[in-house]
Amino acid sequence: EVQLVESGGVVVQPGGSLRLSCAASGFTFDDYTMHWVRQVPGKGLEWVSLITWDSGATFYADSVRGRFTISRDNSKNSLYLQMNSLRTEDTALYYCAKEDYLRFYDYWGQGTLVTVSS
Amino acid sequence: EIVLTQSPGTLSLSPGERATLSCRASQSLSINYVAWYQQKPGQAPRVLIYGASSRATGIPDRFSGSGSGTDFTLTISRLEPEDFAVYYCQQYGTSLPWTFGQGTKVEIK
């Protein structure tokens, strides 16, 4: 059974930093591109970042480029999101999502809540 | 950036009725990389349709997708009680950033 379990979400002050983690199991992690997607509670979905299977390529939404860094450790079946210079508008539930070979998201985690507030 | 506009914002229907949800892209998608996701309160989204018209594993055949170019549709042929939820379309795979529509809420009338 595929499982994606996010962690690391907390309350942090504006300007602060945070690292989210996503532990993957039930599939061959290093075969797949992985993504972070966020959702402000009660609002829509926003793609944040992706990383290819071998960390050879990373991409970011304009809203986070230069502040967030996606990475992965295939030996630990884990995905990460380093979030720096956090803003109140970064407050959201952050999901990790697995990209199927056909490019859509076939599995999502349950999300971890990041709250940026003074 | 490709903007996806979903309509209507809210659909009020009764169980057994047919639901038709629309998703319009701001530019034509050269490959029909459109997915539909269902999200229930407190849950992560789950994929229903990918490639505009292919049902994901385990999805009942009352869910169907169609469309090409800029106009895509999700149809639920007969609403079951568990189908009342929010539905999002997404374009993926060819044009970054991958984007989602704003969602359509299907509520019980």
Side-chain angles (χ1 to χ4, degrees), chain A residues 35 39 43-45 47 50 59 95 99 102-105 108-110, chain B residues 33 37 39 42-45 47 50 88 90 92-93 96-98 100:
Chain A
H35 296 243
Q39 184 174 37
K43 302 296 183 183
L45 299 162
W47 172 79
L50 75 83
F59 297 94
Y95 294 103
E99 181 186 308
L102 296 176
R103 312 296 314 270
F104 62 95
Y105 299 140
W108 300 65
Q110 284 304 301
Chain B
Y33 278 179
Y37 299 89
Q39 188 177 35
Q43 297 184 17
V47 64
Y50 63 91
Y88 294 95
Q90 180 207 25
Y92 61 92
L96 283 170
W98 295 12
F100 294 88

mmCIF file of all heavy atoms in Angstrom, chain A residues 35 39 43-45 47 50 59 95 99 102-105 108-110, chain B residues 33 37 39 42-45 47 50 88 90 92-93 96-98 100:
data_model
loop_
_atom_site.group_PDB
_atom_site.id
_atom_site.type_symbol
_atom_site.label_atom_id
_atom_site.label_comp_id
_atom_site.label_asym_id
_atom_site.label_seq_id
_atom_site.Cartn_x
_atom_site.Cartn_y
_atom_site.Cartn_z
ATOM 1 N N HIS A 35 6.159 15.886 -5.814
ATOM 2 C CA HIS A 35 5.707 17.280 -5.791
ATOM 3 C C HIS A 35 5.291 17.699 -4.388
ATOM 4 O O HIS A 35 4.918 16.866 -3.560
ATOM 5 C CB HIS A 35 4.470 17.454 -6.688
ATOM 6 C CG HIS A 35 4.689 17.196 -8.130
ATOM 7 N ND1 HIS A 35 4.531 18.181 -9.093
ATOM 8 C CD2 HIS A 35 5.035 16.077 -8.798
ATOM 9 C CE1 HIS A 35 4.761 17.666 -10.280
ATOM 10 N NE2 HIS A 35 5.078 16.375 -10.131
ATOM 11 N N GLN A 39 -2.527 24.130 0.111
ATOM 12 C CA GLN A 39 -3.936 24.537 0.114
ATOM 13 C C GLN A 39 -4.210 25.372 1.347
ATOM 14 O O GLN A 39 -4.094 24.865 2.468
ATOM 15 C CB GLN A 39 -4.836 23.300 0.091
ATOM 16 C CG GLN A 39 -6.316 23.608 0.007
ATOM 17 C CD GLN A 39 -7.145 22.347 -0.159
ATOM 18 O OE1 GLN A 39 -6.844 21.304 0.404
ATOM 19 N NE2 GLN A 39 -8.205 22.432 -0.957
ATOM 20 N N LYS A 43 -9.727 26.901 0.851
ATOM 21 C CA LYS A 43 -9.488 27.467 -0.474
ATOM 22 C C LYS A 43 -9.003 26.386 -1.439
ATOM 23 O O LYS A 43 -9.065 25.197 -1.144
ATOM 24 C CB LYS A 43 -8.452 28.597 -0.375
ATOM 25 C CG LYS A 43 -8.853 29.723 0.570
ATOM 26 C CD LYS A 43 -10.092 30.451 0.101
ATOM 27 C CE LYS A 43 -10.427 31.613 1.014
ATOM 28 N NZ LYS A 43 -11.688 32.311 0.607
ATOM 29 N N GLY A 44 -8.506 26.830 -2.585
ATOM 30 C CA GLY A 44 -8.112 25.900 -3.638
ATOM 31 C C GLY A 44 -6.696 25.378 -3.497
ATOM 32 O O GLY A 44 -5.993 25.650 -2.521
ATOM 33 N N LEU A 45 -6.285 24.616 -4.501
ATOM 34 C CA LEU A 45 -4.988 23.947 -4.526
ATOM 35 C C LEU A 45 -3.980 24.755 -5.332
ATOM 36 O O LEU A 45 -4.321 25.315 -6.376
ATOM 37 C CB LEU A 45 -5.145 22.555 -5.146
ATOM 38 C CG LEU A 45 -6.083 21.607 -4.389
ATOM 39 C CD1 LEU A 45 -6.519 20.466 -5.294
ATOM 40 C CD2 LEU A 45 -5.397 21.085 -3.135
ATOM 41 N N TRP A 47 0.026 24.362 -6.834
ATOM 42 C CA TRP A 47 1.279 23.629 -7.011
ATOM 43 C C TRP A 47 2.439 24.487 -6.499
ATOM 44 O O TRP A 47 2.487 25.688 -6.745
ATOM 45 C CB TRP A 47 1.478 23.304 -8.488
ATOM 46 C CG TRP A 47 2.802 22.719 -8.794
ATOM 47 C CD1 TRP A 47 3.195 21.421 -8.593
ATOM 48 C CD2 TRP A 47 3.936 23.387 -9.339
ATOM 49 N NE1 TRP A 47 4.499 21.248 -8.980
ATOM 50 C CE2 TRP A 47 4.985 22.450 -9.441
ATOM 51 C CE3 TRP A 47 4.180 24.695 -9.750
ATOM 52 C CZ2 TRP A 47 6.242 22.767 -9.937
ATOM 53 C CZ3 TRP A 47 5.432 25.025 -10.255
ATOM 54 C CH2 TRP A 47 6.446 24.070 -10.338
ATOM 55 N N LEU A 50 8.392 20.734 -7.729
ATOM 56 C CA LEU A 50 8.589 19.325 -8.090
ATOM 57 C C LEU A 50 10.078 19.012 -8.162
ATOM 58 O O LEU A 50 10.907 19.899 -8.376
ATOM 59 C CB LEU A 50 7.898 18.983 -9.407
ATOM 60 C CG LEU A 50 8.490 19.450 -10.740
ATOM 61 C CD1 LEU A 50 9.601 18.533 -11.251
ATOM 62 C CD2 LEU A 50 7.395 19.548 -11.802
ATOM 63 N N PHE A 59 11.760 22.425 -9.948
ATOM 64 C CA PHE A 59 11.002 23.569 -10.446
ATOM 65 C C PHE A 59 10.160 24.123 -9.305
ATOM 66 O O PHE A 59 9.766 23.387 -8.398
ATOM 67 C CB PHE A 59 10.096 23.155 -11.611
ATOM 68 C CG PHE A 59 10.842 22.665 -12.811
ATOM 69 C CD1 PHE A 59 11.078 21.307 -12.986
ATOM 70 C CD2 PHE A 59 11.316 23.544 -13.770
ATOM 71 C CE1 PHE A 59 11.774 20.838 -14.086
ATOM 72 C CE2 PHE A 59 12.015 23.088 -14.872
ATOM 73 C CZ PHE A 59 12.243 21.730 -15.027
ATOM 74 N N TYR A 95 0.794 19.417 1.071
ATOM 75 C CA TYR A 95 0.707 18.017 0.697
ATOM 76 C C TYR A 95 1.936 17.619 -0.115
ATOM 77 O O TYR A 95 2.383 18.396 -0.977
ATOM 78 C CB TYR A 95 -0.501 17.778 -0.203
ATOM 79 C CG TYR A 95 -1.852 17.978 0.406
ATOM 80 C CD1 TYR A 95 -2.597 19.125 0.152
ATOM 81 C CD2 TYR A 95 -2.427 16.992 1.204
ATOM 82 C CE1 TYR A 95 -3.862 19.292 0.667
ATOM 83 C CE2 TYR A 95 -3.706 17.158 1.735
ATOM 84 C CZ TYR A 95 -4.408 18.302 1.461
ATOM 85 O OH TYR A 95 -5.668 18.465 1.983
ATOM 86 N N GLU A 99 3.873 11.640 -8.484
ATOM 87 C CA GLU A 99 3.511 11.779 -9.893
ATOM 88 C C GLU A 99 3.565 10.413 -10.558
ATOM 89 O O GLU A 99 4.583 9.734 -10.539
ATOM 90 C CB GLU A 99 4.478 12.737 -10.592
ATOM 91 C CG GLU A 99 4.161 12.964 -12.048
ATOM 92 C CD GLU A 99 5.219 13.795 -12.768
ATOM 93 O OE1 GLU A 99 5.560 14.881 -12.265
ATOM 94 O OE2 GLU A 99 5.706 13.348 -13.835
ATOM 95 N N LEU A 102 2.218 8.613 -15.991
ATOM 96 C CA LEU A 102 1.413 9.378 -16.950
ATOM 97 C C LEU A 102 1.237 10.841 -16.520
ATOM 98 O O LEU A 102 0.436 11.558 -17.096
ATOM 99 C CB LEU A 102 0.057 8.700 -17.152
ATOM 100 C CG LEU A 102 0.137 7.311 -17.776
ATOM 101 C CD1 LEU A 102 -1.254 6.668 -17.860
ATOM 102 C CD2 LEU A 102 0.760 7.379 -19.165
ATOM 103 N N ARG A 103 1.998 11.252 -15.488
ATOM 104 C CA ARG A 103 2.200 12.645 -15.095
ATOM 105 C C ARG A 103 1.166 13.220 -14.127
ATOM 106 O O ARG A 103 1.385 14.301 -13.602
ATOM 107 C CB ARG A 103 2.328 13.591 -16.295
ATOM 108 C CG ARG A 103 3.272 13.199 -17.406
ATOM 109 C CD ARG A 103 4.732 13.110 -17.032
ATOM 110 N NE ARG A 103 5.269 14.183 -16.258
ATOM 111 C CZ ARG A 103 5.821 15.298 -16.749
ATOM 112 N NH1 ARG A 103 5.853 15.498 -18.059
ATOM 113 N NH2 ARG A 103 6.327 16.216 -15.938
ATOM 114 N N PHE A 104 0.034 12.521 -13.888
ATOM 115 C CA PHE A 104 -0.919 13.071 -12.929
ATOM 116 C C PHE A 104 -0.538 12.600 -11.521
ATOM 117 O O PHE A 104 0.360 11.788 -11.341
ATOM 118 C CB PHE A 104 -2.347 12.624 -13.280
ATOM 119 C CG PHE A 104 -2.550 11.132 -13.224
ATOM 120 C CD1 PHE A 104 -3.043 10.522 -12.083
ATOM 121 C CD2 PHE A 104 -2.238 10.333 -14.317
ATOM 122 C CE1 PHE A 104 -3.206 9.149 -12.022
ATOM 123 C CE2 PHE A 104 -2.403 8.961 -14.272
ATOM 124 C CZ PHE A 104 -2.884 8.363 -13.111
ATOM 125 N N TYR A 105 -1.224 13.127 -10.486
ATOM 126 C CA TYR A 105 -0.950 12.719 -9.108
ATOM 127 C C TYR A 105 -1.803 11.502 -8.778
ATOM 128 O O TYR A 105 -3.016 11.616 -8.679
ATOM 129 C CB TYR A 105 -1.305 13.834 -8.131
ATOM 130 C CG TYR A 105 -0.542 15.120 -8.327
ATOM 131 C CD1 TYR A 105 -1.186 16.350 -8.188
ATOM 132 C CD2 TYR A 105 0.816 15.134 -8.621
ATOM 133 C CE1 TYR A 105 -0.498 17.540 -8.351
ATOM 134 C CE2 TYR A 105 1.506 16.324 -8.787
ATOM 135 C CZ TYR A 105 0.835 17.523 -8.652
ATOM 136 O OH TYR A 105 1.525 18.699 -8.809
ATOM 137 N N TRP A 108 -1.592 11.102 -2.751
ATOM 138 C CA TRP A 108 -1.350 12.289 -1.944
ATOM 139 C C TRP A 108 -1.180 11.882 -0.484
ATOM 140 O O TRP A 108 -1.781 10.910 -0.037
ATOM 141 C CB TRP A 108 -2.552 13.236 -1.998
ATOM 142 C CG TRP A 108 -2.950 13.768 -3.331
ATOM 143 C CD1 TRP A 108 -3.421 13.066 -4.403
ATOM 144 C CD2 TRP A 108 -2.982 15.148 -3.715
ATOM 145 N NE1 TRP A 108 -3.718 13.919 -5.425
ATOM 146 C CE2 TRP A 108 -3.469 15.209 -5.032
ATOM 147 C CE3 TRP A 108 -2.654 16.344 -3.064
ATOM 148 C CZ2 TRP A 108 -3.629 16.402 -5.723
ATOM 149 C CZ3 TRP A 108 -2.808 17.541 -3.741
ATOM 150 C CH2 TRP A 108 -3.295 17.565 -5.062
ATOM 151 N N GLY A 109 -0.390 12.648 0.254
ATOM 152 C CA GLY A 109 -0.374 12.491 1.692
ATOM 153 C C GLY A 109 -1.574 13.182 2.311
ATOM 154 O O GLY A 109 -2.422 13.732 1.593
ATOM 155 N N GLN A 110 -1.637 13.188 3.624
ATOM 156 C CA GLN A 110 -2.740 13.833 4.342
ATOM 157 C C GLN A 110 -2.438 15.293 4.659
ATOM 158 O O GLN A 110 -3.323 16.027 5.109
ATOM 159 C CB GLN A 110 -3.066 13.073 5.625
ATOM 160 C CG GLN A 110 -3.843 11.792 5.365
ATOM 161 C CD GLN A 110 -5.119 12.066 4.589
ATOM 162 O OE1 GLN A 110 -5.990 12.826 5.012
ATOM 163 N NE2 GLN A 110 -5.263 11.440 3.428
ATOM 164 N N TYR B 33 -3.628 16.697 -21.146
ATOM 165 C CA TYR B 33 -3.193 16.374 -19.802
ATOM 166 C C TYR B 33 -4.049 17.166 -18.811
ATOM 167 O O TYR B 33 -3.601 18.147 -18.222
ATOM 168 C CB TYR B 33 -1.717 16.670 -19.631
ATOM 169 C CG TYR B 33 -0.782 15.599 -20.125
ATOM 170 C CD1 TYR B 33 0.594 15.773 -20.042
ATOM 171 C CD2 TYR B 33 -1.253 14.412 -20.652
ATOM 172 C CE1 TYR B 33 1.470 14.804 -20.487
ATOM 173 C CE2 TYR B 33 -0.393 13.437 -21.107
ATOM 174 C CZ TYR B 33 0.973 13.638 -21.015
ATOM 175 O OH TYR B 33 1.834 12.664 -21.456
ATOM 176 N N TYR B 37 -9.917 15.857 -9.756
ATOM 177 C CA TYR B 37 -9.740 15.347 -8.400
ATOM 178 C C TYR B 37 -10.977 15.644 -7.577
ATOM 179 O O TYR B 37 -11.604 16.695 -7.742
ATOM 180 C CB TYR B 37 -8.526 15.999 -7.717
ATOM 181 C CG TYR B 37 -7.214 15.742 -8.424
ATOM 182 C CD1 TYR B 37 -6.775 16.588 -9.426
ATOM 183 C CD2 TYR B 37 -6.430 14.645 -8.094
ATOM 184 C CE1 TYR B 37 -5.578 16.351 -10.097
ATOM 185 C CE2 TYR B 37 -5.231 14.393 -8.756
ATOM 186 C CZ TYR B 37 -4.822 15.258 -9.756
ATOM 187 O OH TYR B 37 -3.640 15.008 -10.417
ATOM 188 N N GLN B 39 -12.314 16.107 -3.622
ATOM 189 C CA GLN B 39 -11.847 16.341 -2.266
ATOM 190 C C GLN B 39 -13.023 16.464 -1.314
ATOM 191 O O GLN B 39 -13.919 17.272 -1.522
ATOM 192 C CB GLN B 39 -10.969 17.587 -2.175
ATOM 193 C CG GLN B 39 -10.312 17.744 -0.798
ATOM 194 C CD GLN B 39 -9.380 18.928 -0.708
ATOM 195 O OE1 GLN B 39 -9.615 19.973 -1.319
ATOM 196 N NE2 GLN B 39 -8.298 18.779 0.053
ATOM 197 N N GLY B 42 -11.636 17.512 5.176
ATOM 198 C CA GLY B 42 -10.650 16.854 6.016
ATOM 199 C C GLY B 42 -9.832 15.784 5.319
ATOM 200 O O GLY B 42 -9.047 15.086 5.975
ATOM 201 N N GLN B 43 -10.003 15.653 4.013
ATOM 202 C CA GLN B 43 -9.272 14.628 3.269
ATOM 203 C C GLN B 43 -8.410 15.251 2.173
ATOM 204 O O GLN B 43 -8.685 16.361 1.714
ATOM 205 C CB GLN B 43 -10.238 13.624 2.633
ATOM 206 C CG GLN B 43 -11.052 12.832 3.626
ATOM 207 C CD GLN B 43 -11.910 11.781 2.945
ATOM 208 O OE1 GLN B 43 -11.689 11.422 1.778
ATOM 209 N NE2 GLN B 43 -12.899 11.264 3.674
ATOM 210 N N ALA B 44 -7.396 14.501 1.770
ATOM 211 C CA ALA B 44 -6.603 14.906 0.624
ATOM 212 C C ALA B 44 -7.409 14.677 -0.654
ATOM 213 O O ALA B 44 -8.336 13.859 -0.684
ATOM 214 C CB ALA B 44 -5.314 14.095 0.579
ATOM 215 N N PRO B 45 -7.057 15.393 -1.713
ATOM 216 C CA PRO B 45 -7.701 15.103 -3.003
ATOM 217 C C PRO B 45 -7.392 13.675 -3.454
ATOM 218 O O PRO B 45 -6.370 13.096 -3.068
ATOM 219 C CB PRO B 45 -7.051 16.125 -3.943
ATOM 220 C CG PRO B 45 -6.542 17.207 -3.060
ATOM 221 C CD PRO B 45 -6.118 16.513 -1.786
ATOM 222 N N VAL B 47 -7.550 11.315 -7.210
ATOM 223 C CA VAL B 47 -7.740 11.433 -8.643
ATOM 224 C C VAL B 47 -8.930 10.595 -9.100
ATOM 225 O O VAL B 47 -9.138 9.465 -8.652
ATOM 226 C CB VAL B 47 -6.456 11.042 -9.409
ATOM 227 C CG1 VAL B 47 -6.084 9.587 -9.197
ATOM 228 C CG2 VAL B 47 -6.574 11.396 -10.878
ATOM 229 N N TYR B 50 -7.812 11.106 -15.492
ATOM 230 C CA TYR B 50 -6.565 11.663 -16.000
ATOM 231 C C TYR B 50 -6.593 11.577 -17.523
ATOM 232 O O TYR B 50 -7.417 10.835 -18.094
ATOM 233 C CB TYR B 50 -5.348 10.927 -15.414
ATOM 234 C CG TYR B 50 -5.270 9.468 -15.805
ATOM 235 C CD1 TYR B 50 -4.582 9.073 -16.939
ATOM 236 C CD2 TYR B 50 -5.917 8.497 -15.042
ATOM 237 C CE1 TYR B 50 -4.530 7.735 -17.310
ATOM 238 C CE2 TYR B 50 -5.872 7.166 -15.397
ATOM 239 C CZ TYR B 50 -5.177 6.789 -16.526
ATOM 240 O OH TYR B 50 -5.125 5.465 -16.888
ATOM 241 N N TYR B 88 -11.884 19.458 -8.432
ATOM 242 C CA TYR B 88 -10.895 20.339 -9.046
ATOM 243 C C TYR B 88 -10.408 19.738 -10.359
ATOM 244 O O TYR B 88 -10.131 18.529 -10.440
ATOM 245 C CB TYR B 88 -9.666 20.501 -8.142
ATOM 246 C CG TYR B 88 -9.927 21.209 -6.839
ATOM 247 C CD1 TYR B 88 -10.193 20.492 -5.676
ATOM 248 C CD2 TYR B 88 -9.901 22.600 -6.759
ATOM 249 C CE1 TYR B 88 -10.413 21.134 -4.464
ATOM 250 C CE2 TYR B 88 -10.132 23.260 -5.553
ATOM 251 C CZ TYR B 88 -10.392 22.509 -4.414
ATOM 252 O OH TYR B 88 -10.621 23.157 -3.222
ATOM 253 N N GLN B 90 -7.241 20.014 -13.202
ATOM 254 C CA GLN B 90 -5.822 20.362 -13.182
ATOM 255 C C GLN B 90 -5.237 20.131 -14.564
ATOM 256 O O GLN B 90 -5.577 19.142 -15.226
ATOM 257 C CB GLN B 90 -5.065 19.491 -12.177
ATOM 258 C CG GLN B 90 -3.575 19.788 -12.076
ATOM 259 C CD GLN B 90 -2.766 18.578 -11.617
ATOM 260 O OE1 GLN B 90 -3.154 17.422 -11.792
ATOM 261 N NE2 GLN B 90 -1.612 18.832 -11.018
ATOM 262 N N TYR B 92 -1.561 19.436 -16.295
ATOM 263 C CA TYR B 92 -0.290 18.948 -15.788
ATOM 264 C C TYR B 92 0.573 18.464 -16.936
ATOM 265 O O TYR B 92 0.101 18.242 -18.040
ATOM 266 C CB TYR B 92 -0.535 17.779 -14.810
ATOM 267 C CG TYR B 92 -1.234 16.585 -15.439
ATOM 268 C CD1 TYR B 92 -0.512 15.539 -15.996
ATOM 269 C CD2 TYR B 92 -2.622 16.518 -15.489
ATOM 270 C CE1 TYR B 92 -1.145 14.462 -16.590
ATOM 271 C CE2 TYR B 92 -3.263 15.449 -16.084
ATOM 272 C CZ TYR B 92 -2.528 14.418 -16.618
ATOM 273 O OH TYR B 92 -3.160 13.346 -17.211
ATOM 274 N N GLY B 93 1.838 18.326 -16.636
ATOM 275 C CA GLY B 93 2.725 17.549 -17.492
ATOM 276 C C GLY B 93 3.377 18.257 -18.655
ATOM 277 O O GLY B 93 4.413 17.796 -19.132
ATOM 278 N N LEU B 96 4.605 24.285 -17.167
ATOM 279 C CA LEU B 96 4.751 24.747 -15.790
ATOM 280 C C LEU B 96 4.355 26.223 -15.687
ATOM 281 O O LEU B 96 4.623 26.994 -16.620
ATOM 282 C CB LEU B 96 6.194 24.580 -15.338
ATOM 283 C CG LEU B 96 6.618 23.143 -14.976
ATOM 284 C CD1 LEU B 96 8.123 23.058 -14.790
ATOM 285 C CD2 LEU B 96 5.892 22.676 -13.726
ATOM 286 N N PRO B 97 3.733 26.642 -14.589
ATOM 287 C CA PRO B 97 3.391 25.806 -13.445
ATOM 288 C C PRO B 97 2.153 24.947 -13.711
ATOM 289 O O PRO B 97 1.266 25.350 -14.465
ATOM 290 C CB PRO B 97 3.093 26.829 -12.351
ATOM 291 C CG PRO B 97 2.546 27.997 -13.103
ATOM 292 C CD PRO B 97 3.320 28.043 -14.387
ATOM 293 N N TRP B 98 2.118 23.759 -13.135
ATOM 294 C CA TRP B 98 0.901 22.990 -13.190
ATOM 295 C C TRP B 98 -0.152 23.779 -12.419
ATOM 296 O O TRP B 98 0.138 24.313 -11.343
ATOM 297 C CB TRP B 98 1.099 21.615 -12.569
ATOM 298 C CG TRP B 98 2.060 20.763 -13.334
ATOM 299 C CD1 TRP B 98 2.904 21.155 -14.341
ATOM 300 C CD2 TRP B 98 2.307 19.384 -13.147
ATOM 301 N NE1 TRP B 98 3.645 20.100 -14.775
ATOM 302 C CE2 TRP B 98 3.308 18.985 -14.071
ATOM 303 C CE3 TRP B 98 1.787 18.426 -12.273
ATOM 304 C CZ2 TRP B 98 3.769 17.685 -14.168
ATOM 305 C CZ3 TRP B 98 2.257 17.128 -12.368
ATOM 306 C CH2 TRP B 98 3.236 16.768 -13.301
ATOM 307 N N PHE B 100 -4.405 24.421 -11.131
ATOM 308 C CA PHE B 100 -5.703 23.866 -10.772
ATOM 309 C C PHE B 100 -6.780 24.919 -11.028
ATOM 310 O O PHE B 100 -6.529 26.119 -10.928
ATOM 311 C CB PHE B 100 -5.750 23.508 -9.286
ATOM 312 C CG PHE B 100 -4.825 22.397 -8.876
ATOM 313 C CD1 PHE B 100 -3.508 22.675 -8.508
ATOM 314 C CD2 PHE B 100 -5.265 21.081 -8.836
ATOM 315 C CE1 PHE B 100 -2.653 21.654 -8.114
ATOM 316 C CE2 PHE B 100 -4.420 20.055 -8.442
ATOM 317 C CZ PHE B 100 -3.105 20.348 -8.081
#
